[in-house]
Every structure is written in structure tokens, then in C-alpha cells.
Amino acid sequence: MKKFLDNIGPSVVLTAAFIGPGTITVCTLAGVNFGFSLLWALLIAIFTCIILQGMTTRLGIVTQRGLSDVIKDQLKSPYVKWPVIVLIFSAIVIGNAAYEAGNISGASLGLQGIFPSLVSDSFNKGALLIGIIAFVLLYFGNNKLLERTLIALVVIMSISFIIAMVITGPNLIDVLKGLLVPNLTSDNILTVVALLGTTVVPYNIFLHTSLVSEKWKDTTSLSWARKELIVAVLVGGVVSMSILICAASSGLTKVNAVTDLAEGLAPLFSSFASLVVNIGLIAAGITSAITAPLAAAYVAKGCFGWEKAQTSYKFRLVWMFILLTGIFCSSLKINPIEIIKFAQITNGIVLPLVAILLLWLVNNKSLLGSYRNNALQNILGVLIVGLTVVLGVKSILKVIEVL
């Protein structure tokens, strides 16, 4: 157990990254609109995440480099390499700058649910406070401090949403049916796509590869890395499911904001239920507010070939840009809708592209040797690539519809 605890880190950061205000909103909408019937989609998303991030784990540990470094090295033709690098850089760096406002705003809304005085008509003090916390942790923290902080926040987040789920008293038979009986219709297909998209996101693939390459220095650690990945992603999956189950049991009929779940539980299940959801929202927002800038900085490091990471001024300038953009937009209540639309389009293109590149790389004998994919891993990888292509096309079409 002690050895396992010593090896915890990168995958917990991964869980901290994908459980944010966006995930809370999507899971709440799924529960309110479709009850327990879409729990199976989260189960598939968890499985997909474990398989895809398992490939990144092997790639990072064996090569001792981040994904953007490896992609740039392996793509020999400049006519292919630089368009791919520019697209990845645009989607991850600019996209995360847009989404950071949502991360900070989500955490600040949780704070406001507990301390209403933190918001005024013109200035969101809660957003500034969350931004300062994220800045201090990123600037002064090393990997170990960041990992421990995020582990603590993930634990708080998990306990909060599990308690909220228990309080709502879900029907266990309906829960099991939702988990084990797939139900895909024209009405719920976009929500299914959204549930998959909140769990399998492009920037996590880059972030995880870099983090595992820094934590583990030889292939003897692969076994522990796999175990840590499975446990961490399963914990994240349980949190997502808890939110969906809580929303399905809440009696809510409409959701307009990420805080509606907390507000809706208060009159039905006491103010304590509302309190624990707000605490979970704060933890989720802070974790995503930390990991999104960090992921963007690692992508930039790989794209431009910087040698150093955490302490490099170039590395810090990237995450500072992401974080300060989020603080500015959320503090002044600016809604960067056009930037977010661009981010959604580019991420919709990048996700299947990254999945295809990753599958190609983990089959490269000269790169991974005996650690390349076996037949079963390739079959699963092809299925996941097909899934990400569908996901990417759906997200792009959805944005085009509202342009």
C-alpha cells in the first residue's frame, strides 16, 4: 500500500482535470433530462479513457518525452509536421484560455453559494480569489506539491458528490438498469456525445504523457503506472456518475447554470445537501483551473522544443497567459463566446487527430520496441479512434449550427 501511495500522482491530476464545472453541468443535464438512462455512456467513457491514457502512459515512460515532443520528432515532412503542430497548439493553448474562464467561474459560483457577499454587480471577487489560489500553487509549487494538492481536492470533491448522491436516495434498480442497458435515441445522442467529451479530452492526453515521463524514469514502473491510472480514472468515473445520479434523483426539471443542482437540492433535501455540492463544485473548479494552464504550457514546451519545464520563464509565461485570461474574463463577467466557439471547433478536429497520431506512435517499433501495441490493444484503439471521429464531427456540427 505504501508503494502504491508513493506512485500516486499523474493520473490523479488527470482525474482532477476532467472533473470540472463543465463535467458537472453535463452530468447534471443528463440526469435532469434523461434520469439514470445514460449511466452506460459514462461507463463507456471511463473505459475509453483508461485505454487511451494507458497508451499515453507507455509512450511517456518508454520515450521519456511528452506527446507533442514525440509527434514533432516523428513527423518528418514539414508540410505535415507544422500544420499539425499549429493546429494542436491553437486548440490546446487558445482553447484552454477560453475554457479557463469557465473553470474559475464554476469554482467562484460554488464559493458564492456558501458566501454570497463574494459577488457584486460589476466584479466577481470569488473568481479573483480562485485565480490567486491557482497562481500561487502553479508558481511556487513543484510536481509533488501540485500532485498532493490535487489529490486532496479530488478526495474532497469525491466525498462531496458521493454524500450528495446518498442523501438523494436513488432507486438502485433504476441505477443498475441505467448502467447495464444502453439506451441511445435521437433525443439523447448529443448528451451521450457530451458525456464522452467531458471524460476524453485532448489536453489531458498531452498533460498525462508529460507528467508520467517526469515521475517515472524506467519501464519497471509501468505496472504501477497502469494501476494508478485505473484507480484514478475509476474514481473520476464514480464522481461523474454520482453527479448524474444526484441530478436524476433531485426532482429538478430545468438546468440553466452549473449551480442549479446545489440550489435545487436545498428545498428538497436540506441545506446540507446544497452545501456539499457547492464544496464539490469549488474543488472541481480549482482542480481544472490548475490543470488547464499546466497542460497548455506542456504542449507549448513540446511544440517549441524547450528543454526545461516548471521553472522555465517561457513555460511560466504560457500558463500565466491562460490563467490571467480566465481571471480577467470571469472577474469582469465577460463571456468569451466567440473564442469558446473557436476552441470547440479546433478541439473537435484535434481529438480524433491526436487519437490517430497516438495509435500510430504506439505501434512504432523503432520508438517503443517490445512495448508497442499488441493485437487486442490495436483493436480497442481503432474502436476508440472511430469513437473520437464521431465525437469530433458532432462537436463541430453542433457549433456550426449556432454560428
Side-chain angles (χ1 to χ4, degrees):
M1 178 59 71
K2 183 180 183 299
K3 192 167 184 179
F4 177 74
L5 292 175
D6 289 340
N7 280 283
I8 285 179
S11 296
V12 176
V13 176
L14 172 70
T15 298
F18 79 72
I19 304 291
T23 298
I24 295 171
T25 302
V26 170
C27 290
T28 300
L29 282 166
V32 168
N33 295 330
F34 303 103
F36 306 110
S37 66
L38 295 185
L39 283 169
W40 63 270
L42 278 175
L43 200 60
I44 290 175
I46 293 163
F47 177 77
T48 300
C49 187
I50 289 172
I51 297 299
L52 204 59
Q53 300 293 166
M55 294 181 193
T56 69
T57 299
R58 267 186 295 127
L59 186 69
I61 292 176
V62 175
T63 66
Q64 286 295 289
R65 289 184 291 172
L67 181 57
S68 49
D69 292 279
V70 178
I71 289 172
K72 193 174 72 171
D73 181 61
Q74 292 297 310
L75 291 175
K76 304 301 182 183
S77 171
Y79 299 106
V80 177
K81 177 192 296 186
W82 292 113
V84 169
I85 292 297
V86 169
L87 182 59
I88 289 172
F89 181 84
S90 299
I92 306 298
V93 176
I94 300 176
N96 279 4
Y99 291 133
E100 183 70 352
N103 295 331
I104 294 173
S105 295
S108 67
L109 286 171
L111 270 177
Q112 291 159 30
I114 303 173
F115 308 105
S117 60
L118 285 174
V119 67
S120 63
D121 291 337
S122 59
F123 187 74
N124 187 343
K125 289 176 281 189
L128 182 60
L129 177 60
I130 297 297
I132 290 172
I133 292 171
F135 185 92
V136 169
L137 286 169
L138 284 167
Y139 191 86
F140 294 103
N142 53 26
N143 274 355
K144 183 169 285 188
L145 176 61
L146 287 174
E147 286 175 359
R148 288 177 178 176
T149 302
L150 291 170
I151 288 169
L153 289 169
V154 167
V155 169
I156 292 169
M157 178 171 59
S158 303
I159 293 172
S160 298
F161 287 118
I162 290 171
I163 289 174
M165 176 188 66
V166 171
I167 289 172
T168 59
N171 185 307
L172 294 181
I173 300 298
D174 289 340
V175 170
L176 286 174
K177 184 179 177 182
L179 272 171
L180 302 176
V181 182
N183 176 31
L184 186 64
T185 67
S186 57
D187 292 330
N188 66 25
I189 188 168
L190 287 180
T191 305
V192 170
V193 169
L195 288 170
L196 291 169
T198 61
T199 309
V200 186
V201 289
Y203 84 73
N204 276 351
I205 297 172
F206 289 90
L207 177 61
H208 194 236
T209 313
S210 296
L211 291 177
V212 296
S213 68
E214 291 183 358
K215 186 173 182 70
W216 293 295
K217 297 302 180 184
D218 59 75
T219 54
T220 59
S221 303
L222 274 170
S223 176
W224 286 108
R226 291 191 193 102
K227 292 174 185 175
E228 190 241 4
L229 171 67
I230 292 170
V231 171
V233 175
L234 286 177
V235 168
V238 169
V239 172
S240 296
M241 289 180 181
S242 298
I243 298 165
L244 190 153
I245 292 169
C246 188
S249 307
S250 67
L252 290 172
T253 58
K254 191 176 182 181
V255 177
N256 294 314
V258 70
T259 51
D260 283 356
L261 179 59
E263 294 170 2
L265 291 178
L268 296 170
F269 302 100
S270 81
S271 58
F272 178 69
S274 176
L275 174 66
V276 294
V277 170
N278 276 317
I279 290 172
L281 180 55
I282 293 167
I286 293 176
T287 57
S288 294
I290 293 170
T291 53
L294 196 61
Y298 273 117
V299 169
K301 171 185 176 292
C303 288
F304 295 110
W306 303 334
E307 290 298 321
K308 295 181 180 179
Q310 300 273 359
T311 57
S312 163
Y313 79 92
K314 295 176 182 177
F315 187 89
R316 284 176 168 173
L317 281 176
V318 175
W319 68 249
M320 283 180 187
F321 166 74
I322 305 294
L323 181 59
L324 292 175
T325 300
I327 294 171
F328 178 77
C329 293
S330 54
S331 295
L332 299 182
K333 300 181 181 179
I334 296 173
N335 184 14
I337 189 66
E338 295 304 323
I339 301 176
I340 289 173
K341 286 177 182 176
F342 170 75
Q344 287 175 326
I345 291 173
T346 52
N347 275 339
I349 298 170
V350 165
L351 181 56
L353 173 64
V354 170
I356 291 167
L357 286 170
L358 181 61
L359 188 60
W360 169 59
L361 291 171
V362 292
N363 278 286
N364 189 326
K365 187 176 181 180
S366 64
L367 190 65
L368 293 186
S370 61
Y371 295 99
R372 67 188 186 278
N373 267 13
N374 57 35
L376 177 60
Q377 288 168 330
N378 277 329
I379 291 170
L380 295 173
V382 169
L383 290 173
I384 288 170
V385 165
L387 185 65
T388 59
V389 169
V390 172
L391 179 65
V393 170
K394 286 287 185 183
S395 64
I396 293 167
L397 293 176
K398 186 176 180 180
V399 171
I400 291 173
E401 285 175 8
V402 298
L403 286 177

